Amino acid sequence: MENNLKFYINGEWVDPVVPNQFDVINPATEEAFTQISMGSKADVDKAVAAAKAAFPSYSKWSVEDRVALLERVLDLYAKRHDEIAKAISLEMGAPITMSKADQAAVGTIHFKSALDALKNFTFEEKDRGVIIRYEPIGVCGLITPWNWPMNQVAVKVAPALAAGCTVVLKPSEIAPLDAMILAEILHEAGVPAGVFNLVNGNGPDVGEAMSSHPDIHMMSFTGSTRGGIAVARASAETVKRVSQELGGKSANIILRDADIAQAVFDGVIYCMDNSGQSCNAPTRMLVPNEAMDVAIEAARKAAESLKIGDPADASTDLGPVVSDVQFNKIQDLIQKGIDEGATLVTGGTGLPDHLDKGYFVKATVFANANNDMTIAREEIFGPVITLIGYDTEEEAIDIANDTDYGLAGYVSSGDLDHAKDVATQIRAGQVIVNYKSGNADTPFGGYKQSGNGREKGVWGLHDYLEIKAITGF
């Protein structure tokens, strides 16, 4: 890309106000493969001014014009799909096969979902003498993470544009390139100047400036709970809307009527996808105590079946975690699990034996843990799963809900009615039964410290709309 050191503001690629270059590291090699510029409050001010100026015109675009815009974006995205997949694999380490099939593909999925929601949405209706209108909220600040970079960019940008909002995006500085390719796609698709703007940078400088900016009307943030709290605090001064998708420590209840060995095996594979770097990963597996030995062997078999290595190798299952910071955090938590007395089934600290560089983490299984251990309380964000035993179903549900988080829950059962009964008792925004995930329009978001608001489909569109009542009709 020719624009790596620039920001996209007001329809142009522009230099930062103050030059400040930053290395983008390939986590498989621990070496920089490109550089970007890090922004400042001055860059945010320019981007917000452009978005503010563009809003009066763009917010009045017809639904038909916005539909046509999103359709052009989808066509252009398809042409650059493989380029986006390669960028994601380089910047955050996803295996190239997964990057093509999942990481890059979700961009298409979310733009298509927003397009379908837009086509079917009623923006004005009359009810008992009152006109109810749904209107774009205004200038939206979007902050996205590195673990599913295009997923979180697209799931915010697409509904914001569909709603008629203008946007300032700060992608993760660790994994920014896919978002910059999207900026090029949006430009080619004919997004008007100022409607979409991109400023790279870190949270304390760019994120803080966005959250506290009086001309940004809504902040949508995905990331850590700590980061979400910082965004909410900075946003409070201007009473802007804040939508957050934060951390998770999801429980996976394996019920007695499940095929326990198969459910455990599948749950480990599901958990360790993307090297465990998913906020909704089922990291706490709850199994009947009498079946713990069976569960341990199934979990060991699953973890040891995963090939860890070069993300460019199509046969690789798990790539590295994203950075040295994440690697060291995960190593510390694995050691904490050992020190606190959980049974280390497989994996552990250090690099896999066949690797001597890169931020690769062994696929690690702990068993015979309890819900008070650090590995059961803190989000590890690596390929690490913890097996916890239970005696009664009520105890399993209590353990599942005994967490500060509430993003997702999982239930494995041979009886769907039984599974639904348990699912209704889990305090989480989404409960996945037998590892069958929802569709492109299934609402996604959390309870408790996992955030607020919902993304995807019509639910995501609502986040970017205000409701106006006009009376007297």
Side-chain angles (χ1 to χ4, degrees), residues 103-324:
Q103 288 275 10
V106 289
T108 295
I109 289 169
H110 292 315
F111 270 95
K112 180 68 166 56
S113 175
L115 175 62
D116 291 343
L118 175 60
K119 287 178 178 178
N120 295 295
F121 196 83
T122 301
F123 284 88
E124 182 174 307
E125 56 190 358
K126 188 175 179 180
D127 180 28
R128 291 174 293 174
V130 178
I131 295 172
I132 304 296
R133 285 178 52 84
Y134 292 88
E135 299 180 347
I137 194 168
V139 178
C140 299
L142 314 178
I143 299 177
T144 59
W146 46 258
N147 60 317
W148 284 87
M150 181 55 73
N151 179 71
Q152 290 307 131
V153 168
V155 84
K156 298 180 191 299
V157 171
L161 296 181
C165 296
T166 57
V167 165
V168 178
L169 169 68
K170 187 200 90 64
S172 169
E173 68 276 18
I174 297 174
L177 300 185
D178 61 291
M180 299 178 79
I181 295 172
L182 180 63
E184 294 178 349
I185 291 170
L186 294 173
H187 180 85
E188 188 177 352
V191 172
V195 169
F196 173 85
N197 306 271
L198 182 151
V199 178
N200 284 316
N202 61 29
D205 295 325
V206 173
E208 169 78 18
M210 290 169 62
S211 302
S212 62
H213 203 293
D215 291 330
I216 286 182
H217 306 104
M218 179 222 183
M219 288 297 301
S220 180
F221 173 87
T222 298
S224 69
T225 298
R226 176 182 54 81
I229 291 169
V231 168
R233 284 175 173 163
S235 298
E237 194 73 24
T238 51
V239 200
K240 58 172 60 75
R241 183 183 298 177
V242 178
S243 179
Q244 302 168 315
E245 193 262 282
L246 308 177
K249 194 66 183 175
S250 303
N252 180 6
I253 301 177
I254 312 295
L255 295 173
R256 287 183 168 87
D257 57 13
D259 179 337
I260 289 177
Q262 189 64 54
V264 169
F265 186 96
D266 292 345
V268 171
I269 300 297
Y270 196 108
C271 177
M272 294 188 180
D273 184 53
N274 202 38
S275 295
Q277 298 172 120
S278 299
C279 48
N280 62 340
T283 54
R284 291 183 298 146
M285 180 175 283
L286 310 184
V287 299
N289 274 317
E290 71 274 12
M292 182 60 75
D293 289 345
V294 171
I296 286 172
E297 288 311 306
R300 184 201 310 276
K301 181 180 177 182
E304 293 178 354
S305 74
L306 296 169
K307 180 181 177 181
I308 302 171
D310 183 1
D313 183 341
S315 67
T316 293
D317 296 309
L318 302 184
V321 297
V322 76
S323 67
D324 58 342

